[in-house]
Amino acid sequence: MSNVFFSRAISMVHARAFSFYDDAISVELPSPNTDKDSDRPPPDPSVPLFKLRQLQSGWYQTLFQGDPDDPLPHGTAFIWQKCLEMREWAESLPTDLPAAVRERFELDLHYSYVYCIAPSARVPQLTAHGRKLIFEHAIMYIDKVYEMAKASRDSAFSTYHDALRAFFMGSQFVAVLRDAADAVLSNTPTTASLYVQGQGKIPPPPLPSRSGRGGVDNLDRSFQCLERVKLTLQVY
């Protein structure tokens, strides 16, 4: 299972096809490590990492490896559901995870939201709310990765994949601005549908919190984000 999910995560970065499926391998998730000198096991980031890779693998296979000539019925509802599952994953993370691990998980989450919401062959239409989500999550991703690259404290762990991810996020950011700059840059709230599936309701993903930057104009934020994409790629 580890080869399936982690290889598909690499496949996402390179945007290339993947040749085998999750059902080909079925094993248990890793068991949390236990500390013999403590009644409480230490936080083990491997289990939430595997769970995130499972979530990524599911929607990536459906959106990007399914038949491109077969549009996904209720595509926006599917994407909202996958965003909800990833949000619930984030809310379930152990509170005592090391700060550096949590930071990496947050980066992966912003990246996953943008990748899942971005137009695909099976869900080619992007909603107004989807554009706003990409705008906000791309800025949060670039802000974080820029600070990490500038500080160079994680230089030993930065790879070509990190550069590709930064380029992808910058590309999606530019794409939503080109499509509907006035709507994306405005502070007017977007309306998004609440979908009903079976016995449950699928709410649209909320916009991420802009803690400490609520008064900054979106146009200024855009210029800063584009500059930080350039500077981050220069470091990489």
Side-chain angles (χ1 to χ4, degrees), residues 125-153:
Q125 299 300 322
L126 186 60
T127 66
H129 188 61
R131 289 192 187 94
K132 282 276 193 177
L133 287 165
I134 289 177
F135 177 84
E136 294 292 343
H137 283 291
I139 287 180
M140 297 190 76
Y141 182 94
I142 294 300
D143 280 350
K144 287 179 180 292
V145 80
Y146 164 76
E147 294 296 339
M148 293 168 66
K150 185 177 68 171
S152 297
R153 65 181 185 271

Side-chain angles (χ1 to χ4, degrees), residues 50-234:
F50 270 87
K51 290 180 178 178
L52 177 60
R53 293 292 182 255
Q54 285 179 316
L55 293 173
Q56 291 172 327
S57 179
W59 56 254
Y60 180 78
Q61 181 175 325
T62 298
L63 294 174
F64 295 94
Q65 295 189 305
D67 185 353
D69 295 323
D70 180 22
L72 191 65
H74 310 295
T76 301
F78 174 85
I79 290 172
W80 281 183
Q81 175 63 37
K82 297 308 170 184
C83 288
L84 175 62
E85 292 171 5
M86 289 190 288
R87 188 163 74 252
E88 290 173 342
W89 167 86
E91 293 170 351
S92 70
L93 288 174
T95 57
D96 52 352
L97 280 175
V101 173
R102 183 172 292 276
E103 187 175 52
R104 286 288 181 172
F105 277 153
E106 289 174 355
L107 269 180
D108 219 337
L109 188 62
H110 291 307
Y111 175 78
S112 298
Y113 279 138
V114 170
Y115 209 131
C116 184
I117 295 168
S120 63
R122 300 197 69 197
V123 187
Q125 299 300 322
L126 186 60
T127 66
H129 188 61
R131 289 192 187 94
K132 282 276 193 177
L133 287 165
I134 289 177
F135 177 84
E136 294 292 343
H137 283 291
I139 287 180
M140 297 190 76
Y141 182 94
I142 294 300
D143 280 350
K144 287 179 180 292
V145 80
Y146 164 76
E147 294 296 339
M148 293 168 66
K150 185 177 68 171
S152 297
R153 65 181 185 271
D154 291 323
S155 59
F157 299 101
S158 296
T159 68
Y160 178 56
H161 294 153
D162 295 305
L164 287 178
R165 284 181 173 222
F167 179 81
F168 170 80
M169 296 295 275
S171 299
Q172 293 299 320
F173 185 76
V174 170
V176 296
L177 290 177
R178 284 178 174 167
D179 287 346
D182 290 343
V184 171
L185 294 176
S186 75
N187 288 317
T188 304
T190 53
T191 58
S193 300
L194 178 74
Y195 290 93
V196 178
Q197 189 174 69
Q199 300 298 316
K201 296 180 179 179
I202 309 171
L207 295 176
S209 174
R210 292 167 53 181
S211 57
R213 302 190 51 190
V216 181
D217 181 78
N218 278 341
L219 184 60
D220 291 336
R221 296 173 72 214
S222 297
F223 285 135
Q224 183 182 66
C225 181
L226 293 171
E227 179 68 12
R228 288 185 168 187
V229 171
K230 181 184 73 174
L231 294 174
T232 299
L233 292 175
Q234 285 177 351

